[in-house]
Coordinates of all heavy atoms in Angstrom, one line a residue:
M1 N -37.2 39.7 1.3 CA -36.2 39.1 2.2 C -36.7 37.8 2.7 O -37.7 37.7 3.3 CB -35.8 40.0 3.3 CG -34.5 39.7 3.9 SD -34.0 41.0 5.1 CE -32.9 40.1 6.0
S2 N -36.0 36.8 2.4 CA -36.5 35.4 2.8 C -35.5 34.8 3.8 O -34.3 34.9 3.5 CB -36.7 34.5 1.6 OG -35.5 34.3 0.9
M3 N -36.0 34.2 4.8 CA -35.2 33.5 5.7 C -35.0 32.0 5.2 O -36.0 31.3 5.0 CB -35.8 33.5 7.1 CG -35.7 34.9 7.8 SD -34.1 35.1 8.6 CE -34.5 34.2 10.1
K4 N -33.8 31.7 5.1 CA -33.6 30.3 4.6 C -33.3 29.4 5.9 O -32.3 29.6 6.5 CB -32.4 30.2 3.7 CG -32.8 30.3 2.2 CD -31.7 29.9 1.3 CE -32.1 30.1 -0.2 NZ -30.9 29.9 -1.0
P5 N -34.2 28.6 6.2 CA -34.0 27.7 7.3 C -32.9 26.7 7.0 O -32.9 26.1 5.9 CB -35.3 27.0 7.6 CG -36.0 27.1 6.2 CD -35.5 28.3 5.5
T6 N -31.9 26.6 7.9 CA -30.9 25.7 7.7 C -31.4 24.3 7.9 O -31.7 23.9 9.0 CB -29.7 25.9 8.6 OG1 -30.2 26.2 9.9 CG2 -28.9 27.1 8.1
K7 N -31.5 23.6 6.8 CA -32.0 22.2 6.9 C -30.9 21.3 7.4 O -29.8 21.3 6.9 CB -32.5 21.8 5.6 CG -34.0 21.9 5.4 CD -34.4 21.2 4.1 CE -35.8 21.7 3.6 NZ -36.0 21.2 2.2
K8 N -31.3 20.5 8.4 CA -30.3 19.5 8.9 C -30.7 18.2 8.3 O -31.7 17.6 8.6 CB -30.4 19.4 10.4 CG -29.4 20.4 11.0 CD -29.0 19.9 12.4 CE -27.8 20.7 13.0 NZ -27.5 20.4 14.3
I9 N -29.9 17.8 7.3 CA -30.2 16.5 6.7 C -29.6 15.4 7.5 O -28.4 15.4 7.8 CB -29.6 16.5 5.2 CG1 -30.2 17.7 4.4 CG2 -29.8 15.2 4.6 CD1 -29.4 18.0 3.2
R10 N -30.4 14.6 7.9 CA -29.9 13.5 8.7 C -29.3 12.4 7.8 O -30.0 11.8 6.9 CB -31.0 12.9 9.5 CG -30.5 11.9 10.6 CD -31.6 11.5 11.5 NE -31.8 12.6 12.5 CZ -32.0 12.3 13.8 NH1 -32.1 11.1 14.2 NH2 -32.2 13.3 14.7
I11 N -28.1 12.2 7.9 CA -27.4 11.2 7.0 C -27.6 9.8 7.6 O -27.3 9.6 8.8 CB -25.9 11.5 6.9 CG1 -25.7 12.9 6.3 CG2 -25.2 10.4 6.0 CD1 -24.3 13.5 6.6
P12 N -28.2 8.9 6.8 CA -28.3 7.6 7.3 C -27.0 7.0 7.6 O -26.0 7.3 7.1 CB -29.0 6.8 6.1 CG -28.7 7.7 4.9 CD -28.6 9.1 5.4
S13 N -27.0 6.0 8.6 CA -25.7 5.4 9.0 C -24.9 4.9 7.8 O -25.4 4.2 7.0 CB -26.0 4.3 10.0 OG -26.8 3.4 9.4
H14 N -23.7 5.4 7.8 CA -22.9 5.1 6.6 C -21.4 5.0 7.1 O -21.1 5.4 8.2 CB -23.1 6.1 5.5 CG -22.5 7.4 5.9 ND1 -23.0 8.2 6.9 CD2 -21.4 8.1 5.5 CE1 -22.3 9.3 7.0 NE2 -21.3 9.2 6.2
R15 N -20.6 4.5 6.2 CA -19.2 4.5 6.5 C -18.5 5.3 5.4 O -19.1 5.7 4.4 CB -18.7 3.0 6.5 CG -19.4 2.2 7.5 CD -19.0 0.7 7.3 NE -17.5 0.6 7.5 CZ -16.9 -0.5 7.2 NH1 -17.5 -1.6 6.7 NH2 -15.6 -0.6 7.5
H16 N -17.2 5.4 5.6 CA -16.4 6.1 4.6 C -15.4 5.1 4.0 O -14.8 4.3 4.8 CB -15.7 7.3 5.2 CG -16.6 8.4 5.5 ND1 -17.0 9.3 4.5 CD2 -17.2 8.8 6.6 CE1 -17.9 10.2 5.1 NE2 -18.0 9.9 6.3
C17 N -15.3 5.2 2.7 CA -14.3 4.3 2.1 C -12.9 4.6 2.6 O -12.5 5.7 2.7 CB -14.4 4.6 0.5 SG -13.1 3.7 -0.4
P18 N -12.2 3.5 3.1 CA -10.9 3.7 3.6 C -9.9 4.2 2.6 O -8.8 4.6 3.0 CB -10.5 2.4 4.2 CG -11.4 1.4 3.5 CD -12.6 2.1 3.1
V19 N -10.2 4.1 1.3 CA -9.3 4.5 0.3 C -9.5 5.9 -0.1 O -8.6 6.8 -0.1 CB -9.4 3.6 -0.9 CG1 -8.4 4.0 -2.0 CG2 -9.1 2.1 -0.5
C20 N -10.7 6.3 -0.6 CA -10.9 7.6 -1.1 C -11.8 8.5 -0.2 O -11.9 9.7 -0.5 CB -11.6 7.5 -2.5 SG -13.3 6.8 -2.4
G21 N -12.4 7.9 0.8 CA -13.1 8.7 1.8 C -14.6 9.0 1.4 O -15.3 9.7 2.1
N22 N -15.0 8.4 0.3 CA -16.4 8.6 -0.1 C -17.3 7.9 0.8 O -16.9 6.8 1.4 CB -16.6 8.0 -1.5 CG -16.2 9.0 -2.6 OD1 -16.0 10.2 -2.4 ND2 -16.0 8.5 -3.8
S23 N -18.5 8.4 1.1 CA -19.4 7.7 1.9 C -20.0 6.5 1.1 O -20.2 6.6 -0.1 CB -20.5 8.6 2.4 OG -21.2 9.2 1.3
M24 N -20.4 5.5 1.9 CA -20.9 4.3 1.2 C -21.7 3.6 2.2 O -21.8 3.9 3.4 CB -19.7 3.5 0.8 CG -18.8 3.1 2.0 SD -17.3 2.1 1.5 CE -16.8 1.7 3.1
P25 N -22.5 2.6 1.8 CA -23.4 1.8 2.7 C -22.6 1.2 3.8 O -21.4 0.9 3.7 CB -24.0 0.8 1.8 CG -23.8 1.3 0.4 CD -22.6 2.2 0.4
I26 N -23.3 1.1 4.9 CA -22.6 0.6 6.1 C -22.1 -0.8 6.0 O -21.1 -1.3 6.6 CB -23.5 0.7 7.4 CG1 -22.8 0.5 8.7 CG2 -24.7 -0.3 7.3 CD1 -22.8 1.6 9.6
D27 N -22.7 -1.6 5.1 CA -22.3 -3.0 5.0 C -21.2 -3.2 3.9 O -20.8 -4.3 3.7 CB -23.5 -3.9 4.7 CG -24.2 -3.4 3.5 OD1 -24.1 -2.2 3.1 OD2 -24.9 -4.2 2.9
A28 N -20.8 -2.1 3.3 CA -19.8 -2.2 2.2 C -18.4 -2.0 2.8 O -18.3 -1.2 3.8 CB -20.0 -1.2 1.1
E29 N -17.4 -2.6 2.3 CA -16.1 -2.4 2.7 C -15.4 -1.3 2.0 O -14.6 -0.6 2.5 CB -15.3 -3.7 2.6 CG -15.2 -4.6 3.8 CD -14.3 -5.7 3.6 OE1 -14.6 -6.6 2.9 OE2 -13.2 -5.7 4.2
F30 N -15.7 -1.2 0.7 CA -15.1 -0.2 -0.2 C -16.2 0.3 -1.1 O -17.2 -0.3 -1.3 CB -14.0 -0.8 -1.0 CG -12.9 -1.4 -0.2 CD1 -12.9 -2.8 0.0 CD2 -11.9 -0.6 0.5 CE1 -11.9 -3.3 0.8 CE2 -11.0 -1.2 1.3 CZ -11.0 -2.6 1.4
C31 N -16.0 1.5 -1.6 CA -17.0 2.1 -2.4 C -17.0 1.6 -3.8 O -18.0 1.6 -4.5 CB -16.9 3.7 -2.4 SG -15.4 4.2 -3.4
S32 N -15.9 1.0 -4.2 CA -15.9 0.5 -5.6 C -14.8 -0.6 -5.7 O -14.0 -0.7 -4.8 CB -15.6 1.6 -6.6 OG -14.3 2.1 -6.3
D33 N -14.9 -1.4 -6.8 CA -13.8 -2.4 -7.0 C -12.5 -1.8 -7.1 O -11.5 -2.4 -6.7 CB -14.2 -3.2 -8.2 CG -15.4 -4.2 -8.0 OD1 -15.7 -4.4 -6.8 OD2 -15.9 -4.7 -8.9
E34 N -12.4 -0.6 -7.7 CA -11.2 0.1 -7.9 C -10.5 0.4 -6.6 O -9.3 0.1 -6.4 CB -11.4 1.4 -8.6 CG -10.2 2.0 -9.3 CD -10.5 3.3 -9.9 OE1 -11.6 3.5 -10.5 OE2 -9.6 4.2 -9.8
C35 N -11.3 0.8 -5.6 CA -10.8 1.1 -4.3 C -10.4 -0.1 -3.6 O -9.4 -0.1 -2.8 CB -11.8 1.9 -3.5 SG -11.9 3.7 -3.9
R36 N -11.1 -1.2 -3.8 CA -10.7 -2.5 -3.2 C -9.4 -2.9 -3.7 O -8.5 -3.4 -2.9 CB -11.8 -3.5 -3.5 CG -11.7 -4.8 -2.6 CD -12.0 -6.0 -3.3 NE -13.4 -5.9 -3.9 CZ -14.5 -6.2 -3.3 NH1 -14.4 -6.7 -2.1 NH2 -15.6 -6.1 -3.9
D37 N -9.2 -2.8 -5.0 CA -7.9 -3.2 -5.6 C -6.8 -2.4 -5.0 O -5.7 -2.9 -4.7 CB -8.0 -3.1 -7.1 CG -8.8 -4.2 -7.7 OD1 -9.2 -5.1 -7.0 OD2 -9.0 -4.1 -8.9
K38 N -7.0 -1.0 -4.9 CA -6.0 -0.1 -4.4 C -5.7 -0.5 -3.0 O -4.5 -0.5 -2.6 CB -6.5 1.3 -4.4 CG -6.2 2.0 -5.7 CD -6.6 3.5 -5.5 CE -6.9 4.2 -6.8 NZ -7.5 5.4 -6.7
Y39 N -6.7 -0.8 -2.2 CA -6.5 -1.2 -0.8 C -5.7 -2.5 -0.7 O -4.7 -2.6 0.1 CB -7.8 -1.3 -0.1 CG -7.7 -1.7 1.4 CD1 -7.4 -0.7 2.3 CD2 -7.9 -3.0 1.8 CE1 -7.2 -1.0 3.6 CE2 -7.8 -3.3 3.1 CZ -7.4 -2.3 4.0 OH -7.3 -2.7 5.4
L40 N -6.1 -3.5 -1.5 CA -5.4 -4.7 -1.4 C -3.9 -4.6 -1.8 O -3.0 -5.2 -1.2 CB -6.1 -5.8 -2.3 CG -7.4 -6.3 -1.8 CD1 -8.1 -7.2 -2.7 CD2 -7.3 -6.9 -0.4
Q41 N -3.7 -3.7 -2.8 CA -2.3 -3.5 -3.3 C -1.5 -2.9 -2.2 O -0.3 -3.2 -1.9 CB -2.3 -2.6 -4.5 CG -2.3 -3.4 -5.8 CD -2.4 -2.5 -7.0 OE1 -2.2 -1.3 -6.9 NE2 -2.7 -3.0 -8.2
K42 N -2.1 -1.9 -1.5 CA -1.4 -1.2 -0.4 C -1.1 -2.2 0.8 O 0.0 -2.2 1.3 CB -2.3 -0.1 0.1 CG -1.7 0.8 1.2 CD -2.7 1.8 1.6 CE -2.6 2.4 3.0 NZ -1.6 2.1 3.8
V43 N -2.1 -3.0 1.1 CA -1.9 -4.0 2.1 C -0.8 -5.0 1.8 O 0.1 -5.3 2.6 CB -3.2 -4.8 2.4 CG1 -2.9 -6.1 3.2 CG2 -4.2 -4.0 3.1
K44 N -0.8 -5.4 0.5 CA 0.3 -6.3 0.1 C 1.7 -5.6 0.2 O 2.6 -6.2 0.6 CB 0.0 -6.7 -1.4 CG 0.3 -8.2 -1.6 CD 0.1 -8.5 -3.1 CE -1.4 -8.8 -3.4 NZ -1.6 -9.1 -4.8
R45 N 1.7 -4.4 -0.2 CA 3.0 -3.6 -0.2 C 3.4 -3.4 1.3 O 4.6 -3.6 1.6 CB 2.8 -2.3 -0.9 CG 4.1 -1.7 -1.3 CD 3.8 -0.5 -2.2 NE 2.9 0.5 -1.5 CZ 2.0 1.2 -2.1 NH1 1.9 1.2 -3.4 NH2 1.3 2.0 -1.4
D46 N 2.5 -3.1 2.1 CA 2.8 -2.9 3.5 C 3.3 -4.1 4.2 O 4.3 -4.1 4.9 CB 1.6 -2.4 4.3 CG 1.3 -1.0 4.1 OD1 2.0 -0.3 3.3 OD2 0.3 -0.4 4.6
R47 N 2.7 -5.3 3.8 CA 3.1 -6.6 4.4 C 4.5 -6.9 3.9 O 5.4 -7.4 4.7 CB 2.1 -7.6 3.9 CG 2.1 -8.8 4.8 CD 1.1 -9.9 4.4 NE -0.2 -9.4 4.5 CZ -1.3 -9.9 3.8 NH1 -1.1 -10.9 3.0 NH2 -2.5 -9.4 4.0
R48 N 4.8 -6.6 2.6 CA 6.1 -6.9 2.1 C 7.2 -6.0 2.8 O 8.3 -6.4 3.2 CB 6.1 -6.6 0.6 CG 7.2 -7.5 -0.1 CD 7.2 -7.2 -1.6 NE 5.9 -7.2 -2.2 CZ 5.6 -6.6 -3.3 NH1 6.5 -5.9 -4.0 NH2 4.4 -6.7 -3.8
M49 N 6.8 -4.7 3.0 CA 7.7 -3.8 3.7 C 8.0 -4.2 5.1 O 9.1 -4.2 5.6 CB 7.1 -2.4 3.7 CG 7.3 -1.6 2.4 SD 9.0 -1.3 2.0 CE 9.4 -0.2 3.3
R50 N 6.9 -4.7 5.8 CA 7.1 -5.2 7.2 C 8.0 -6.4 7.2 O 8.9 -6.5 8.1 CB 5.7 -5.5 7.8 CG 5.7 -5.1 9.2 CD 4.3 -5.3 9.8 NE 3.4 -4.4 9.1 CZ 2.1 -4.7 8.9 NH1 1.6 -5.8 9.3 NH2 1.3 -3.8 8.3
L51 N 7.8 -7.3 6.3 CA 8.6 -8.5 6.2 C 10.1 -8.1 5.9 O 11.0 -8.7 6.5 CB 8.1 -9.4 5.1 CG 8.8 -10.8 5.0 CD1 8.3 -11.7 6.1 CD2 8.5 -11.4 3.6
F52 N 10.3 -7.2 5.0 CA 11.6 -6.8 4.7 C 12.3 -6.1 5.9 O 13.4 -6.4 6.2 CB 11.5 -5.7 3.5 CG 12.8 -5.3 3.0 CD1 13.6 -6.1 2.2 CD2 13.3 -4.1 3.3 CE1 14.8 -5.7 1.7 CE2 14.6 -3.6 2.8 CZ 15.3 -4.5 2.0
F53 N 11.5 -5.3 6.6 CA 12.1 -4.6 7.8 C 12.4 -5.7 8.8 O 13.5 -5.6 9.5 CB 11.0 -3.6 8.3 CG 11.5 -2.9 9.5 CD1 12.4 -1.8 9.3 CD2 11.1 -3.2 10.8 CE1 12.9 -1.1 10.4 CE2 11.6 -2.5 11.8 CZ 12.5 -1.4 11.6
F54 N 11.5 -6.6 9.0 CA 11.8 -7.7 10.0 C 13.0 -8.5 9.7 O 13.8 -8.8 10.5 CB 10.5 -8.6 10.1 CG 10.7 -9.7 11.0 CD1 10.6 -9.5 12.4 CD2 11.0 -11.0 10.6 CE1 10.7 -10.6 13.3 CE2 11.2 -12.1 11.5 CZ 11.0 -11.8 12.8
L55 N 13.2 -8.8 8.4 CA 14.3 -9.6 7.9 C 15.6 -8.8 8.2 O 16.6 -9.3 8.7 CB 14.2 -9.9 6.5 CG 13.4 -11.2 6.1 CD1 13.3 -11.3 4.6 CD2 14.1 -12.4 6.7
F56 N 15.5 -7.5 7.8 CA 16.7 -6.6 8.0 C 17.1 -6.6 9.5 O 18.2 -6.7 9.9 CB 16.3 -5.2 7.5 CG 17.4 -4.2 7.7 CD1 18.5 -4.2 6.9 CD2 17.3 -3.3 8.7 CE1 19.5 -3.2 7.0 CE2 18.3 -2.3 8.9 CZ 19.4 -2.3 8.1
Y57 N 16.0 -6.4 10.3 CA 16.3 -6.3 11.8 C 16.9 -7.6 12.3 O 17.8 -7.6 13.1 CB 14.9 -6.0 12.4 CG 15.0 -5.7 13.9 CD1 15.5 -4.4 14.2 CD2 14.7 -6.6 14.9 CE1 15.6 -4.0 15.6 CE2 14.8 -6.2 16.2 CZ 15.2 -5.0 16.6 OH 15.3 -4.6 17.9
A58 N 16.3 -8.7 11.8 CA 16.8 -10.1 12.3 C 18.2 -10.3 11.9 O 19.1 -10.8 12.7 CB 15.9 -11.2 11.7
I59 N 18.6 -9.9 10.6 CA 19.9 -10.0 10.2 C 20.9 -9.1 11.0 O 22.0 -9.6 11.4 CB 20.0 -9.7 8.6 CG1 19.3 -10.8 7.9 CG2 21.5 -9.6 8.2 CD1 19.1 -10.5 6.4
L60 N 20.4 -7.9 11.2 CA 21.2 -7.0 12.0 C 21.5 -7.5 13.4 O 22.6 -7.5 13.9 CB 20.5 -5.7 12.1 CG 21.3 -4.5 12.6 CD1 22.3 -4.0 11.6 CD2 20.4 -3.4 13.1
M61 N 20.5 -8.1 14.0 CA 20.6 -8.6 15.3 C 21.5 -9.8 15.3 O 22.4 -10.0 16.2 CB 19.2 -9.1 15.9 CG 18.4 -7.9 16.4 SD 19.1 -7.2 17.9 CE 19.0 -5.5 17.5
A62 N 21.4 -10.7 14.3 CA 22.3 -11.9 14.2 C 23.7 -11.4 14.0 O 24.6 -12.0 14.7 CB 21.8 -12.7 13.0
V63 N 23.9 -10.4 13.2 CA 25.3 -9.9 13.0 C 25.9 -9.4 14.3 O 27.0 -9.7 14.7 CB 25.3 -8.9 11.9 CG1 26.6 -8.1 11.8 CG2 25.0 -9.5 10.5
L64 N 25.1 -8.6 15.0 CA 25.5 -8.1 16.2 C 25.8 -9.2 17.2 O 26.8 -9.1 18.0 CB 24.5 -7.1 16.8 CG 24.5 -5.7 16.2 CD1 23.3 -4.9 16.7 CD2 25.8 -5.0 16.6
F65 N 24.9 -10.1 17.3 CA 25.0 -11.2 18.2 C 26.3 -12.0 18.0 O 27.1 -12.2 18.9 CB 23.8 -12.2 18.1 CG 23.9 -13.4 19.0 CD1 23.6 -13.2 20.4 CD2 24.2 -14.6 18.5 CE1 23.6 -14.3 21.2 CE2 24.3 -15.7 19.4 CZ 24.0 -15.6 20.7
F66 N 26.6 -12.4 16.7 CA 27.8 -13.1 16.4 C 29.0 -12.3 16.6 O 30.1 -12.8 16.9 CB 27.7 -13.7 15.0 CG 26.8 -14.9 14.9 CD1 25.7 -14.8 14.0 CD2 27.0 -16.0 15.6 CE1 24.8 -15.9 13.9 CE2 26.1 -17.1 15.6 CZ 25.0 -17.0 14.7
F67 N 28.9 -11.0 16.4 CA 30.0 -10.1 16.5 C 30.5 -10.1 18.0 O 31.7 -10.1 18.3 CB 29.6 -8.7 16.1 CG 30.7 -7.7 16.3 CD1 31.8 -7.7 15.4 CD2 30.7 -6.8 17.3 CE1 32.8 -6.7 15.5 CE2 31.7 -5.9 17.5 CZ 32.8 -5.8 16.6
F68 N 29.5 -10.2 18.9 CA 29.8 -10.1 20.3 C 30.2 -11.5 20.9 O 31.0 -11.6 21.8 CB 28.7 -9.6 21.2 CG 28.6 -8.0 21.1 CD1 27.5 -7.4 20.4 CD2 29.6 -7.3 21.6 CE1 27.5 -6.0 20.3 CE2 29.6 -5.9 21.5 CZ 28.5 -5.3 20.9
V69 N 29.6 -12.6 20.3 CA 29.9 -13.9 20.8 C 31.2 -14.4 20.2 O 32.0 -15.0 21.0 CB 28.7 -14.9 20.4 CG1 29.1 -16.3 20.7 CG2 27.5 -14.5 21.2
W70 N 31.4 -14.2 18.9 CA 32.7 -14.7 18.3 C 33.7 -13.5 18.3 O 34.2 -13.2 17.2 CB 32.4 -15.2 16.9 CG 31.6 -16.5 16.9 CD1 31.4 -17.3 18.0 CD2 30.9 -17.1 15.8 NE1 30.7 -18.4 17.6 CE2 30.3 -18.2 16.3 CE3 30.7 -16.7 14.5 CZ2 29.5 -19.1 15.5 CZ3 29.9 -17.5 13.7 CH2 29.4 -18.7 14.2
R71 N 33.9 -13.0 19.4 CA 34.9 -11.9 19.4 C 36.3 -12.5 19.3 O 36.7 -13.4 20.0 CB 34.8 -11.1 20.7 CG 35.2 -9.7 20.6 CD 35.2 -9.0 21.9 NE 33.8 -9.2 22.5 CZ 33.5 -8.6 23.7 NH1 34.4 -7.8 24.3 NH2 32.3 -8.8 24.2
P72 N 37.1 -12.0 18.4 CA 38.4 -12.5 18.3 C 39.2 -12.1 19.5 O 39.2 -11.0 19.9 CB 39.0 -11.9 17.0 CG 38.1 -10.7 16.7 CD 36.8 -11.0 17.3
S73 N 39.9 -13.1 20.1 CA 40.6 -12.8 21.4 C 41.9 -12.1 21.2 O 42.5 -12.3 20.2 CB 40.8 -14.1 22.2 OG 41.3 -15.1 21.3
Ligands
ZN101 ZN1 -13.4 4.5 -2.5

């Protein structure tokens, strides 16, 4: 019967890839070029979605504004 001591491996300071969650060096932004591409695509898509939403909101506000200002008497 052997006692297995639970070894506590001290993990050197590291970060996790924001795309896939793999650990990576602290000075790296992504673990691989593939993840960087994925991240950039996501950012681009998010930005486009935000712009689209903002435009939609602005148009809606403009429509509402003109609806109330130019009320037919
Ligand atoms: Zn990754």
Side-chain angles (χ1 to χ4, degrees):
M1 200 170 158
S2 62
M3 288 274 281
K4 266 191 183 172
T6 45
K7 261 190 197 167
K8 269 205 172 173
I9 301 162
R10 192 170 278 221
I11 301 161
S13 56
H14 69 289
R15 301 173 64 189
H16 288 278
C17 174
V19 177
C20 67
N22 280 342
S23 56
M24 59 182 190
I26 191 119
D27 57 338
E29 263 187 291
F30 304 98
C31 70
S32 64
D33 286 345
E34 197 186 322
C35 280
R36 193 215 307 272
D37 286 351
K38 268 189 205 166
Y39 179 78
L40 288 178
Q41 268 175 14
K42 183 178 151 13
V43 165
K44 221 183 277 179
R45 202 171 53 214
D46 283 0
R47 204 178 294 160
R48 209 184 307 157
M49 277 300 289
R50 214 173 298 150
L51 185 75
F52 185 76
F53 183 78
F54 178 77
L55 275 174
F56 177 78
Y57 191 75
I59 288 166
L60 190 76
M61 281 293 135
V63 167
L64 277 174
F65 179 76
F66 284 121
F67 179 76
F68 282 112
V69 170
W70 290 343
R71 208 185 306 186
S73 48

